[in-house]
Amino acid sequence: MEKIYIFDTTLRDAEQVPGCQLNAVEKIEVALQLEKLGVDVIEAGFPISSPGDFNSVVEISKAVTRPTICALTRAVERDIEVAAEALKHAERGRIHTGIGTSTYHIYEKLKSTPEDVIRQAVKAVTYARKFVEDVEFYAEDAGRTEEEFLARVVEAVIKAGATVVNIPDTTGYCLPNEYGAKIAYLRDHVPNVDKVVLSTHCHNDLGMATANTLAAIQNGARQVEVTINGLGERAGNTALEEVVMAIACHKNINFETGINTKEILNSSRLVSSLMRMPVQPNKAIVGRNAFAHSSGIHQDGVLKSRQTYEIINPADVGVDESSIVLTARSGRAALKHHLKLLGYEPDEEELNTLYQKFLELADKKKDITSPDLEVLIGSEKSRNTAIQLESLQVICGATTIPTATVRIRQGETISTNTAYGNGPIDAAFNAIKNITNRDVVLEEYLVQAITRGSDDMGKVHVQISYKGKICNGFGANVDTVTASAEAFLNAIGKI
Ligand code: KIV
Ligand code: ZN
């Protein structure tokens, strides 16, 4: 297995995205999480760009000890001096300096010439080596740089003392075979290329950053520059989690990383919340739906053998929630599985009853969670078959007298009553009292949401007293008035 070095640039390339700015404390929090995740290099910022960036590189250098801390510069002496100063406290500091090498950059942005760009590149690397042992050079827009010229630049910076040479596809333009061929060309044509680590830095403008990065390592690159959740300029950078898991899944390509994959989800959530960048639900590896099986056929397959529809064990990336999501399309197998996780193993008849209740609920509520199931089990267990609510209709509103019509089954007898109240629940309780002919006193009434969302179920607990006797009742329904009537009947049934 050959080691692939993970260079994380979340705190530099992603942090420069509008809206993603972090303060120093937040940056340190992310850096500590990256250390826990096991990245080899943290690009902590661009110190010359602002006092805030300078300070963050200083503080991260103090807070983080295992990974190399890297600071970005242009091929400008003052940038390099400031970066070196910011890295003073780092156990291992790296200066990342570079210049544009494509014709667009040389002629249009820099108003320079190819020879001058090589001179400037060499000068910058030589100068940076005066401050640190570890100097990475980037050939900006290498993706659109002609191979022979790129090879000359790379040869020159290696001679000047670069330890790592970064070949960025700055505009996300390359196709995987082109980018792989570019790396192979450098590997095969640049003298002493084996003395440096070749690095990839891909942008995702055509959605190919991960594919390009993998093509590069298969052609000789040994460092990958990535970000958490693929955040970065425009369409973003290569996503760390995608490259790491592609390498982990495809053992046959013989690469390994030092990443503790179980920290992937934690890292993703931390970066997403601090940078205020939600992760799209279908994002590979870290999206909410990345391991969610919703169709009955898939759920059945996964329950028989995970491998039928899963290439990654969710636990390996830190996902511990069940991957079998309960929706209106789930079958009995999925429900049974969830009930078992909750420690409840119903017999066939109980399962059928619960399944019907589950389907009714799933029609009204999008996501059925464990607490919802606990309520279904609870209400099923406490169901009183002697006295049951057949139907309930209420009229209420700001200018209406609250009225409830309740129909109840007691054994073979069905009775109906309509009553008023000071609200719909009071009206329903009065109708129930009239039918059951029990003048009970409501001692306590409690309604709670189960999880969140206005489509959530309401859980109602009541306590009643009747001739000195206390009885408790429970009901749960997406309709709070119905839940209340069920709870009240449940308590009356116990008298
Ligand atoms: O995309 C790019 O070329 C960069 C360099 C500064 C490394 O981010
Ligand atoms: Zn970039």
Side-chain angles (χ1 to χ4, degrees):
M1 291 278 181
E2 282 215 53
K3 164 126 185 188
I4 298 297
Y5 293 93
I6 303 293
F7 174 116
D8 184 278
T9 183
T10 307
L11 292 171
R12 200 277 299 168
D13 216 326
E15 209 268 338
Q16 69 198 36
V17 171
C20 287
Q21 276 69 40
L22 303 177
N23 63 36
V25 175
E26 292 167 332
K27 284 187 192 172
I28 292 168
E29 203 179 337
V30 172
L32 290 171
Q33 177 61 33
L34 291 172
E35 182 173 42
K36 207 164 165 196
L37 179 65
V39 306
D40 300 288
V41 184
I42 295 176
E43 187 162 48
F46 183 12
I48 192 88
S49 67
S50 72
D53 241 43
F54 177 89
N55 189 40
S56 301
V57 176
V58 172
E59 294 306 325
I60 291 171
S61 299
K62 289 181 190 165
V64 168
T65 52
R66 200 198 47 77
T68 294
I69 305 299
C70 178
L72 186 79
T73 79
R74 293 165 296 181
V76 170
E77 288 194 352
R78 185 66 197 138
D79 282 28
I80 294 167
E81 288 159 11
V82 173
E85 178 65 24
L87 288 171
K88 228 169 44 194
H89 298 279
E91 297 245 329
R92 274 173 296 283
R94 176 185 294 179
I95 291 178
H96 189 191
T97 190
I99 190 164
T101 53
S102 67
T103 52
Y104 302 101
H105 280 241
I106 296 173
Y107 297 109
E108 285 159 43
K109 180 175 119 177
L110 302 167
K111 312 279 182 222
S112 184
T113 62
E115 295 314 314
D116 221 50
V117 159
I118 294 186
R119 262 195 296 277
Q120 229 181 307
V122 167
K123 206 168 149 214
V125 171
T126 311
Y127 194 59
R129 278 300 303 257
K130 290 191 196 306
F131 300 96
V132 287
E133 298 268 292
D134 192 1
V135 174
E136 174 168 341
F137 174 80
Y138 64 87
E140 195 177 7
D141 205 13
R144 292 186 300 171
T145 301
E146 187 261 319
E147 276 169 1
E148 277 174 37
F149 178 64
L150 188 60
R152 283 184 57 210
V153 176
V154 174
E155 182 181 350
V157 295
I158 293 175
K159 241 191 232 156
T163 45
V164 181
V165 180
N166 177 12
I167 310 298
D169 183 19
T170 305
T171 55
Y173 171 76
C174 290
L175 297 174
N177 63 322
E178 287 170 0
Y179 192 64
K182 200 170 274 269
I183 301 290
Y185 183 89
L186 297 174
R187 184 197 61 200
D188 296 341
H189 292 86
V190 175
N192 291 323
V193 73
D194 56 322
K195 304 278 184 305
V196 295
V197 171
L198 285 180
S199 182
T200 74
H201 179 111
C202 298
H203 279 268
N204 204 29
D205 299 66
L206 292 173
M208 277 184 279
T210 298
N212 285 348
T213 301
L214 292 169
I217 63 173
Q218 289 179 295
N219 284 284
R222 289 294 174 267
Q223 176 179 278
V224 294
E225 303 195 5
V226 291
T227 59
I228 302 291
N229 299 338
L231 294 176
E233 280 281 9
R234 306 181 307 280
N237 288 59
T238 307
L240 177 148
E241 60 277 7
E242 293 175 12
V243 175
V244 167
M245 292 317 292
I247 289 173
C249 284
H250 292 269
K251 299 267 182 294
N252 60 320
I253 59 175
N254 278 323
F255 296 120
E256 65 184 2
T257 70
I259 294 296
N260 172 7
T261 60
K262 291 199 161 53
E263 285 299 324
I264 284 180
L265 189 69
N266 284 341
S267 309
S268 164
R269 289 194 173 157
L270 179 72
V271 167
S272 168
S273 70
L274 292 180
M275 290 196 161
R276 299 165 292 275
M277 275 290 203
V279 176
Q280 75 194 56
N282 60 328
K283 165 80 184 62
I285 319 294
V286 291
R288 189 179 68 227
N289 293 347
F291 299 100
H293 306 284
S294 55
S295 86
I297 294 172
H298 286 209
Q299 292 184 337
D300 187 51
V302 168
L303 288 170
K304 287 176 179 144
S305 160
R306 297 198 84 114
Q307 279 92 336
T308 50
Y309 292 99
E310 268 178 13
I311 57 166
I312 295 169
N313 181 346
D316 290 349
V317 293
V319 177
D320 55 11
E321 293 117 45
S322 169
S323 57
I324 307 291
V325 289
L326 289 173
T327 70
R329 291 191 305 284
S330 299
R332 278 179 181 70
L335 179 65
K336 193 170 169 186
H337 166 76
H338 271 269
L339 293 172
K340 194 166 173 200
L341 292 180
L342 294 174
Y344 187 55
E345 298 195 46
D347 61 27
E348 207 51 32
E349 198 187 319
E350 282 170 322
L351 179 66
N352 283 341
T353 315
L354 279 171
Y355 186 62
Q356 285 318 316
K357 288 186 128 194
F358 158 75
L359 286 181
E360 280 166 30
L361 181 61
D363 268 345
K364 297 180 194 148
K365 191 170 187 276
K366 284 193 298 291
D367 301 316
I368 308 288
T369 58
S370 299
D372 292 323
L373 289 185
E374 277 162 359
V375 169
L376 280 190
I377 300 167
S379 61
E380 184 50 31
K381 276 185 176 165
S382 63
R383 197 158 64 97
N384 190 322
T385 45
I387 176 162
Q388 278 177 34
L389 185 68
E390 282 277 310
S391 73
L392 166 69
Q393 191 183 0
V394 290
I395 302 169
C396 61
T399 54
T400 320
I401 297 173
T403 311
T405 301
V406 174
R407 177 171 296 171
I408 287 172
R409 174 189 289 276
Q410 289 171 284
E412 293 301 304
T413 317
I414 292 185
S415 326
T416 306
N417 186 268
T418 297
Y420 304 115
N422 63 7
I425 293 170
D426 187 41
F429 284 10
N430 288 339
I432 292 170
K433 281 194 234 171
N434 293 341
I435 296 174
T436 55
N437 211 12
R438 294 271 199 309
D439 192 17
V440 299
V441 178
L442 181 64
E443 301 288 352
E444 266 185 47
Y445 172 88
L446 178 72
V447 60
Q448 281 175 304
I450 292 174
T451 48
R452 62 190 133 86
S454 57
D455 66 347
D456 195 13
M457 283 217 277
K459 273 193 307 190
V460 176
H461 291 266
V462 299
Q463 191 176 78
I464 57 168
S465 61
Y466 180 71
K467 293 187 180 165
K469 188 174 175 193
I470 295 285
C471 298
N472 292 300
F474 174 73
N477 202 290
V478 285
D479 179 329
T480 311
V481 184
T482 304
S484 304
E486 282 173 352
F488 195 56
L489 271 180
N490 185 234
I492 289 179
K494 290 176 184 166
I495 291 173

mmCIF file of all heavy atoms in Angstrom, residues 155-195:
data_model
loop_
_atom_site.group_PDB
_atom_site.id
_atom_site.type_symbol
_atom_site.label_atom_id
_atom_site.label_comp_id
_atom_site.label_asym_id
_atom_site.label_seq_id
_atom_site.Cartn_x
_atom_site.Cartn_y
_atom_site.Cartn_z
ATOM 1 N N GLU A 155 10.701 21.364 -13.129
ATOM 2 C CA GLU A 155 12.138 21.042 -13.014
ATOM 3 C C GLU A 155 12.874 22.186 -12.293
ATOM 4 O O GLU A 155 13.686 21.953 -11.393
ATOM 5 C CB GLU A 155 12.712 20.835 -14.418
ATOM 6 C CG GLU A 155 14.180 20.447 -14.365
ATOM 7 C CD GLU A 155 14.811 20.254 -15.750
ATOM 8 O OE1 GLU A 155 14.053 20.243 -16.758
ATOM 9 O OE2 GLU A 155 16.041 20.142 -15.816
ATOM 10 N N ALA A 156 12.552 23.411 -12.673
ATOM 11 C CA ALA A 156 13.255 24.568 -12.091
ATOM 12 C C ALA A 156 12.969 24.707 -10.593
ATOM 13 O O ALA A 156 13.888 24.989 -9.807
ATOM 14 C CB ALA A 156 12.835 25.831 -12.835
ATOM 15 N N VAL A 157 11.719 24.500 -10.183
ATOM 16 C CA VAL A 157 11.430 24.688 -8.741
ATOM 17 C C VAL A 157 11.986 23.531 -7.905
ATOM 18 O O VAL A 157 12.325 23.722 -6.736
ATOM 19 C CB VAL A 157 9.914 24.933 -8.458
ATOM 20 C CG1 VAL A 157 9.440 26.237 -9.083
ATOM 21 C CG2 VAL A 157 9.055 23.769 -8.881
ATOM 22 N N ILE A 158 12.087 22.355 -8.521
ATOM 23 C CA ILE A 158 12.712 21.242 -7.770
ATOM 24 C C ILE A 158 14.178 21.605 -7.509
ATOM 25 O O ILE A 158 14.690 21.474 -6.397
ATOM 26 C CB ILE A 158 12.596 19.901 -8.542
ATOM 27 C CG1 ILE A 158 11.128 19.455 -8.635
ATOM 28 C CG2 ILE A 158 13.440 18.814 -7.864
ATOM 29 C CD1 ILE A 158 10.881 18.216 -9.479
ATOM 30 N N LYS A 159 14.839 22.118 -8.560
ATOM 31 C CA LYS A 159 16.250 22.523 -8.412
ATOM 32 C C LYS A 159 16.393 23.610 -7.339
ATOM 33 O O LYS A 159 17.360 23.652 -6.598
ATOM 34 C CB LYS A 159 16.747 23.085 -9.751
ATOM 35 C CG LYS A 159 17.923 22.279 -10.320
ATOM 36 C CD LYS A 159 18.548 22.986 -11.473
ATOM 37 C CE LYS A 159 18.630 22.029 -12.661
ATOM 38 N NZ LYS A 159 18.680 22.703 -13.925
ATOM 39 N N ALA A 160 15.378 24.473 -7.244
ATOM 40 C CA ALA A 160 15.450 25.584 -6.278
ATOM 41 C C ALA A 160 15.147 25.136 -4.849
ATOM 42 O O ALA A 160 15.286 25.922 -3.914
ATOM 43 C CB ALA A 160 14.477 26.677 -6.696
ATOM 44 N N GLY A 161 14.684 23.891 -4.683
ATOM 45 C CA GLY A 161 14.503 23.383 -3.315
ATOM 46 C C GLY A 161 13.068 23.082 -2.915
ATOM 47 O O GLY A 161 12.798 22.848 -1.730
ATOM 48 N N ALA A 162 12.130 23.057 -3.855
ATOM 49 C CA ALA A 162 10.750 22.702 -3.492
ATOM 50 C C ALA A 162 10.719 21.244 -3.013
ATOM 51 O O ALA A 162 11.458 20.398 -3.530
ATOM 52 C CB ALA A 162 9.825 22.885 -4.687
ATOM 53 N N THR A 163 9.871 20.991 -2.023
ATOM 54 C CA THR A 163 9.736 19.615 -1.517
ATOM 55 C C THR A 163 8.452 18.964 -2.035
ATOM 56 O O THR A 163 8.338 17.750 -2.112
ATOM 57 C CB THR A 163 9.697 19.626 0.028
ATOM 58 O OG1 THR A 163 8.802 20.668 0.433
ATOM 59 C CG2 THR A 163 11.069 19.876 0.599
ATOM 60 N N VAL A 164 7.473 19.817 -2.353
ATOM 61 C CA VAL A 164 6.186 19.334 -2.883
ATOM 62 C C VAL A 164 5.846 20.225 -4.078
ATOM 63 O O VAL A 164 6.067 21.443 -4.013
ATOM 64 C CB VAL A 164 5.058 19.475 -1.818
ATOM 65 C CG1 VAL A 164 3.728 18.964 -2.357
ATOM 66 C CG2 VAL A 164 5.429 18.752 -0.528
ATOM 67 N N VAL A 165 5.331 19.621 -5.164
ATOM 68 C CA VAL A 165 4.932 20.450 -6.308
ATOM 69 C C VAL A 165 3.465 20.187 -6.614
ATOM 70 O O VAL A 165 3.062 19.040 -6.872
ATOM 71 C CB VAL A 165 5.813 20.188 -7.552
ATOM 72 C CG1 VAL A 165 5.349 21.072 -8.707
ATOM 73 C CG2 VAL A 165 7.280 20.480 -7.246
ATOM 74 N N ASN A 166 2.723 21.277 -6.534
ATOM 75 C CA ASN A 166 1.268 21.198 -6.676
ATOM 76 C C ASN A 166 0.881 21.560 -8.121
ATOM 77 O O ASN A 166 1.331 22.568 -8.654
ATOM 78 C CB ASN A 166 0.668 22.197 -5.665
ATOM 79 C CG ASN A 166 -0.830 22.292 -5.725
ATOM 80 O OD1 ASN A 166 -1.495 21.479 -6.352
ATOM 81 N ND2 ASN A 166 -1.379 23.305 -5.057
ATOM 82 N N ILE A 167 0.031 20.710 -8.711
ATOM 83 C CA ILE A 167 -0.373 20.897 -10.111
ATOM 84 C C ILE A 167 -1.877 21.225 -10.125
ATOM 85 O O ILE A 167 -2.719 20.360 -10.430
ATOM 86 C CB ILE A 167 -0.101 19.588 -10.926
ATOM 87 C CG1 ILE A 167 1.336 19.090 -10.688
ATOM 88 C CG2 ILE A 167 -0.369 19.773 -12.415
ATOM 89 C CD1 ILE A 167 2.422 20.094 -11.144
ATOM 90 N N PRO A 168 -2.278 22.434 -9.784
ATOM 91 C CA PRO A 168 -3.714 22.699 -9.622
ATOM 92 C C PRO A 168 -4.477 22.753 -10.945
ATOM 93 O O PRO A 168 -3.998 23.325 -11.923
ATOM 94 C CB PRO A 168 -3.757 24.086 -8.971
ATOM 95 C CG PRO A 168 -2.360 24.421 -8.582
ATOM 96 C CD PRO A 168 -1.467 23.624 -9.468
ATOM 97 N N ASP A 169 -5.656 22.163 -10.914
ATOM 98 C CA ASP A 169 -6.606 22.384 -12.012
ATOM 99 C C ASP A 169 -7.507 23.511 -11.485
ATOM 100 O O ASP A 169 -8.647 23.286 -11.066
ATOM 101 C CB ASP A 169 -7.396 21.110 -12.295
ATOM 102 C CG ASP A 169 -8.335 21.291 -13.488
ATOM 103 O OD1 ASP A 169 -8.121 22.230 -14.278
ATOM 104 O OD2 ASP A 169 -9.297 20.504 -13.606
ATOM 105 N N THR A 170 -6.953 24.697 -11.514
ATOM 106 C CA THR A 170 -7.564 25.862 -10.851
ATOM 107 C C THR A 170 -8.980 26.150 -11.327
ATOM 108 O O THR A 170 -9.835 26.582 -10.560
ATOM 109 C CB THR A 170 -6.661 27.093 -11.098
ATOM 110 O OG1 THR A 170 -5.354 26.756 -10.639
ATOM 111 C CG2 THR A 170 -7.158 28.333 -10.393
ATOM 112 N N THR A 171 -9.243 25.908 -12.618
ATOM 113 C CA THR A 171 -10.556 26.245 -13.165
ATOM 114 C C THR A 171 -11.464 25.025 -13.300
ATOM 115 O O THR A 171 -12.546 25.130 -13.858
ATOM 116 C CB THR A 171 -10.399 26.892 -14.554
ATOM 117 O OG1 THR A 171 -9.642 25.974 -15.357
ATOM 118 C CG2 THR A 171 -9.673 28.223 -14.483
ATOM 119 N N GLY A 172 -11.002 23.877 -12.836
ATOM 120 C CA GLY A 172 -11.821 22.653 -12.939
ATOM 121 C C GLY A 172 -12.116 22.264 -14.362
ATOM 122 O O GLY A 172 -13.197 21.748 -14.677
ATOM 123 N N TYR A 173 -11.155 22.478 -15.239
ATOM 124 C CA TYR A 173 -11.360 22.311 -16.677
ATOM 125 C C TYR A 173 -11.063 20.885 -17.181
ATOM 126 O O TYR A 173 -11.693 20.402 -18.117
ATOM 127 C CB TYR A 173 -10.443 23.313 -17.396
ATOM 128 C CG TYR A 173 -10.372 23.124 -18.889
ATOM 129 C CD1 TYR A 173 -11.428 23.532 -19.699
ATOM 130 C CD2 TYR A 173 -9.259 22.531 -19.477
ATOM 131 C CE1 TYR A 173 -11.373 23.354 -21.070
ATOM 132 C CE2 TYR A 173 -9.201 22.352 -20.855
ATOM 133 C CZ TYR A 173 -10.261 22.767 -21.649
ATOM 134 O OH TYR A 173 -10.212 22.586 -22.993
ATOM 135 N N CYS A 174 -10.117 20.222 -16.552
ATOM 136 C CA CYS A 174 -9.598 18.956 -17.114
ATOM 137 C C CYS A 174 -10.607 17.807 -17.053
ATOM 138 O O CYS A 174 -11.462 17.751 -16.168
ATOM 139 C CB CYS A 174 -8.375 18.520 -16.323
ATOM 140 S SG CYS A 174 -6.947 19.559 -16.577
ATOM 141 N N LEU A 175 -10.413 16.872 -17.974
ATOM 142 C CA LEU A 175 -11.094 15.581 -17.907
ATOM 143 C C LEU A 175 -10.161 14.635 -17.148
ATOM 144 O O LEU A 175 -8.944 14.832 -17.185
ATOM 145 C CB LEU A 175 -11.360 15.038 -19.307
ATOM 146 C CG LEU A 175 -12.298 15.897 -20.169
ATOM 147 C CD1 LEU A 175 -12.369 15.331 -21.589
ATOM 148 C CD2 LEU A 175 -13.686 15.940 -19.540
ATOM 149 N N PRO A 176 -10.714 13.599 -16.517
ATOM 150 C CA PRO A 176 -9.843 12.738 -15.702
ATOM 151 C C PRO A 176 -8.655 12.160 -16.484
ATOM 152 O O PRO A 176 -7.532 12.143 -15.988
ATOM 153 C CB PRO A 176 -10.797 11.635 -15.232
ATOM 154 C CG PRO A 176 -12.130 12.308 -15.185
ATOM 155 C CD PRO A 176 -12.134 13.276 -16.336
ATOM 156 N N ASN A 177 -8.896 11.723 -17.734
ATOM 157 C CA ASN A 177 -7.766 11.130 -18.461
ATOM 158 C C ASN A 177 -6.709 12.184 -18.798
ATOM 159 O O ASN A 177 -5.506 11.926 -18.764
ATOM 160 C CB ASN A 177 -8.239 10.393 -19.715
ATOM 161 C CG ASN A 177 -8.901 11.323 -20.712
ATOM 162 O OD1 ASN A 177 -9.615 12.245 -20.321
ATOM 163 N ND2 ASN A 177 -8.644 11.122 -22.001
ATOM 164 N N GLU A 178 -7.155 13.430 -19.051
ATOM 165 C CA GLU A 178 -6.191 14.498 -19.363
ATOM 166 C C GLU A 178 -5.356 14.852 -18.125
ATOM 167 O O GLU A 178 -4.146 15.025 -18.219
ATOM 168 C CB GLU A 178 -6.930 15.786 -19.764
ATOM 169 C CG GLU A 178 -7.568 15.757 -21.119
ATOM 170 C CD GLU A 178 -8.483 16.984 -21.317
ATOM 171 O OE1 GLU A 178 -8.618 17.830 -20.410
ATOM 172 O OE2 GLU A 178 -9.057 17.047 -22.405
ATOM 173 N N TYR A 179 -6.055 14.961 -17.012
ATOM 174 C CA TYR A 179 -5.342 15.361 -15.793
ATOM 175 C C TYR A 179 -4.361 14.257 -15.364
ATOM 176 O O TYR A 179 -3.221 14.528 -14.999
ATOM 177 C CB TYR A 179 -6.359 15.668 -14.684
ATOM 178 C CG TYR A 179 -5.756 16.349 -13.482
ATOM 179 C CD1 TYR A 179 -5.189 17.620 -13.578
ATOM 180 C CD2 TYR A 179 -5.732 15.714 -12.242
ATOM 181 C CE1 TYR A 179 -4.625 18.238 -12.470
ATOM 182 C CE2 TYR A 179 -5.185 16.324 -11.133
ATOM 183 C CZ TYR A 179 -4.632 17.586 -11.247
ATOM 184 O OH TYR A 179 -4.075 18.204 -10.148
ATOM 185 N N GLY A 180 -4.850 13.005 -15.461
ATOM 186 C CA GLY A 180 -3.965 11.869 -15.140
ATOM 187 C C GLY A 180 -2.748 11.875 -16.062
ATOM 188 O O GLY A 180 -1.612 11.674 -15.620
ATOM 189 N N ALA A 181 -2.964 12.156 -17.356
ATOM 190 C CA ALA A 181 -1.862 12.143 -18.329
ATOM 191 C C ALA A 181 -0.859 13.267 -18.027
ATOM 192 O O ALA A 181 0.350 13.108 -18.224
ATOM 193 C CB ALA A 181 -2.419 12.295 -19.742
ATOM 194 N N LYS A 182 -1.371 14.369 -17.541
ATOM 195 C CA LYS A 182 -0.483 15.504 -17.203
ATOM 196 C C LYS A 182 0.477 15.107 -16.077
ATOM 197 O O LYS A 182 1.672 15.379 -16.124
ATOM 198 C CB LYS A 182 -1.366 16.687 -16.754
ATOM 199 C CG LYS A 182 -0.697 18.024 -16.826
ATOM 200 C CD LYS A 182 -1.727 19.120 -16.612
ATOM 201 C CE LYS A 182 -2.459 19.559 -17.851
ATOM 202 N NZ LYS A 182 -1.900 20.652 -18.588
ATOM 203 N N ILE A 183 -0.080 14.444 -15.074
ATOM 204 C CA ILE A 183 0.756 14.004 -13.942
ATOM 205 C C ILE A 183 1.763 12.960 -14.446
ATOM 206 O O ILE A 183 2.952 12.991 -14.104
ATOM 207 C CB ILE A 183 -0.116 13.417 -12.801
ATOM 208 C CG1 ILE A 183 -1.137 14.462 -12.295
ATOM 209 C CG2 ILE A 183 0.743 12.881 -11.662
ATOM 210 C CD1 ILE A 183 -0.580 15.649 -11.530
ATOM 211 N N ALA A 184 1.274 12.031 -15.290
ATOM 212 C CA ALA A 184 2.168 10.984 -15.819
ATOM 213 C C ALA A 184 3.291 11.618 -16.637
ATOM 214 O O ALA A 184 4.446 11.188 -16.571
ATOM 215 C CB ALA A 184 1.366 10.008 -16.672
ATOM 216 N N TYR A 185 2.947 12.651 -17.395
ATOM 217 C CA TYR A 185 3.960 13.327 -18.221
ATOM 218 C C TYR A 185 5.069 13.898 -17.321
ATOM 219 O O TYR A 185 6.252 13.732 -17.587
ATOM 220 C CB TYR A 185 3.310 14.451 -19.038
ATOM 221 C CG TYR A 185 4.286 15.150 -19.961
ATOM 222 C CD1 TYR A 185 4.501 14.689 -21.266
ATOM 223 C CD2 TYR A 185 5.019 16.251 -19.521
ATOM 224 C CE1 TYR A 185 5.425 15.324 -22.103
ATOM 225 C CE2 TYR A 185 5.934 16.877 -20.340
ATOM 226 C CZ TYR A 185 6.123 16.411 -21.633
ATOM 227 O OH TYR A 185 7.039 17.032 -22.453
ATOM 228 N N LEU A 186 4.672 14.549 -16.243
ATOM 229 C CA LEU A 186 5.670 15.140 -15.331
ATOM 230 C C LEU A 186 6.506 14.033 -14.685
ATOM 231 O O LEU A 186 7.726 14.136 -14.574
ATOM 232 C CB LEU A 186 4.963 15.970 -14.250
ATOM 233 C CG LEU A 186 4.174 17.185 -14.770
ATOM 234 C CD1 LEU A 186 3.394 17.840 -13.632
ATOM 235 C CD2 LEU A 186 5.103 18.213 -15.426
ATOM 236 N N ARG A 187 5.794 12.973 -14.278
ATOM 237 C CA ARG A 187 6.504 11.844 -13.629
ATOM 238 C C ARG A 187 7.563 11.276 -14.576
ATOM 239 O O ARG A 187 8.657 10.916 -14.182
ATOM 240 C CB ARG A 187 5.448 10.773 -13.287
ATOM 241 C CG ARG A 187 5.962 9.575 -12.533
ATOM 242 C CD ARG A 187 4.959 8.446 -12.623
ATOM 243 N NE ARG A 187 4.742 8.034 -14.023
ATOM 244 C CZ ARG A 187 3.681 7.369 -14.464
ATOM 245 N NH1 ARG A 187 2.721 7.050 -13.637
ATOM 246 N NH2 ARG A 187 3.572 7.032 -15.736
ATOM 247 N N ASP A 188 7.231 11.226 -15.873
ATOM 248 C CA ASP A 188 8.129 10.574 -16.833
ATOM 249 C C ASP A 188 9.157 11.509 -17.454
ATOM 250 O O ASP A 188 10.101 11.041 -18.093
ATOM 251 C CB ASP A 188 7.298 9.929 -17.961
ATOM 252 C CG ASP A 188 6.405 8.820 -17.415
ATOM 253 O OD1 ASP A 188 6.692 8.322 -16.310
ATOM 254 O OD2 ASP A 188 5.408 8.475 -18.089
ATOM 255 N N HIS A 189 8.947 12.829 -17.387
ATOM 256 C CA HIS A 189 9.846 13.732 -18.128
ATOM 257 C C HIS A 189 10.649 14.698 -17.280
ATOM 258 O O HIS A 189 11.578 15.321 -17.792
ATOM 259 C CB HIS A 189 9.036 14.551 -19.158
ATOM 260 C CG HIS A 189 8.511 13.702 -20.263
ATOM 261 N ND1 HIS A 189 7.326 13.027 -20.170
ATOM 262 C CD2 HIS A 189 9.032 13.408 -21.479
ATOM 263 C CE1 HIS A 189 7.114 12.346 -21.281
ATOM 264 N NE2 HIS A 189 8.142 12.554 -22.097
ATOM 265 N N VAL A 190 10.306 14.853 -15.997
ATOM 266 C CA VAL A 190 11.014 15.873 -15.198
ATOM 267 C C VAL A 190 12.161 15.222 -14.418
ATOM 268 O O VAL A 190 11.915 14.308 -13.622
ATOM 269 C CB VAL A 190 10.030 16.576 -14.227
ATOM 270 C CG1 VAL A 190 10.774 17.536 -13.310
ATOM 271 C CG2 VAL A 190 8.959 17.308 -14.997
ATOM 272 N N PRO A 191 13.382 15.694 -14.635
ATOM 273 C CA PRO A 191 14.492 15.135 -13.862
ATOM 274 C C PRO A 191 14.271 15.363 -12.364
ATOM 275 O O PRO A 191 13.754 16.417 -11.971
ATOM 276 C CB PRO A 191 15.719 15.930 -14.360
ATOM 277 C CG PRO A 191 15.293 16.588 -15.629
ATOM 278 C CD PRO A 191 13.804 16.726 -15.585
ATOM 279 N N ASN A 192 14.621 14.381 -11.567
ATOM 280 C CA ASN A 192 14.525 14.454 -10.091
ATOM 281 C C ASN A 192 13.103 14.573 -9.556
ATOM 282 O O ASN A 192 12.914 14.970 -8.398
ATOM 283 C CB ASN A 192 15.336 15.633 -9.548
ATOM 284 C CG ASN A 192 16.817 15.386 -9.713
ATOM 285 O OD1 ASN A 192 17.262 14.251 -9.555
ATOM 286 N ND2 ASN A 192 17.551 16.413 -10.084
ATOM 287 N N VAL A 193 12.132 14.243 -10.379
ATOM 288 C CA VAL A 193 10.753 14.363 -9.892
ATOM 289 C C VAL A 193 10.503 13.422 -8.717
ATOM 290 O O VAL A 193 9.654 13.683 -7.859
ATOM 291 C CB VAL A 193 9.754 14.141 -11.066
ATOM 292 C CG1 VAL A 193 9.699 12.682 -11.484
ATOM 293 C CG2 VAL A 193 8.383 14.696 -10.735
ATOM 294 N N ASP A 194 11.276 12.359 -8.658
ATOM 295 C CA ASP A 194 11.111 11.411 -7.547
ATOM 296 C C ASP A 194 11.592 11.995 -6.211
ATOM 297 O O ASP A 194 11.350 11.424 -5.157
ATOM 298 C CB ASP A 194 11.856 10.103 -7.856
ATOM 299 C CG ASP A 194 13.328 10.355 -8.162
ATOM 300 O OD1 ASP A 194 13.632 11.373 -8.820
ATOM 301 O OD2 ASP A 194 14.174 9.565 -7.697
ATOM 302 N N LYS A 195 12.245 13.156 -6.255
ATOM 303 C CA LYS A 195 12.718 13.781 -4.997
ATOM 304 C C LYS A 195 11.614 14.625 -4.354
ATOM 305 O O LYS A 195 11.776 15.119 -3.238
ATOM 306 C CB LYS A 195 13.920 14.720 -5.269
ATOM 307 C CG LYS A 195 15.090 14.067 -5.975
ATOM 308 C CD LYS A 195 15.960 13.309 -4.951
ATOM 309 C CE LYS A 195 17.211 12.703 -5.548
ATOM 310 N NZ LYS A 195 17.042 11.817 -6.690
#
